Amino acid sequence: IIPPHDGSGSMHIGLAIDSDQFDAWHERLSTASVEVESIVAWPRGGRSIYFRDPDGNLVELLTPGVWTVY
């Protein structure tokens, strides 16, 4: 059974990555000609990198230190 998961318009998804993988992901996106919209250094030490999937949804890769719970 697939749980309900509807929405409309552009959506956002955040995916956790290890801190030591951030630069490798940034390079991988660049090599694949994926436009990075923003990179954020958060006050708790985490970093996020934002880009769009082919449907225009915002994808965020985030490291520990972004939120108090991660």
Side-chain angles (χ1 to χ4, degrees), residues 22-69:
F22 188 89
D23 293 333
W25 272 106
H26 191 196
E27 178 64 28
R28 184 175 186 172
L29 293 168
S30 177
T31 299
S33 299
V34 174
E35 179 184 353
V36 172
E37 290 191 19
S38 182
I39 294 176
V40 176
W42 296 95
R44 297 187 68 250
R47 293 189 293 170
S48 294
I49 187 167
Y50 295 90
F51 57 96
R52 301 274 173 182
D53 73 6
D55 292 324
N57 299 299
L58 184 64
V59 180
E60 175 188 9
L61 301 179
L62 58 140
T63 67
V66 171
W67 303 308
T68 58
V69 296

Side-chain angles (χ1 to χ4, degrees), residues 4-30:
H5 58 282
D6 60 341
S8 62
S10 294
M11 304 299 285
H12 167 262
I13 185 170
L15 303 169
I17 60 171
D18 290 333
S19 295
D20 63 352
Q21 292 298 307
F22 188 89
D23 293 333
W25 272 106
H26 191 196
E27 178 64 28
R28 184 175 186 172
L29 293 168
S30 177

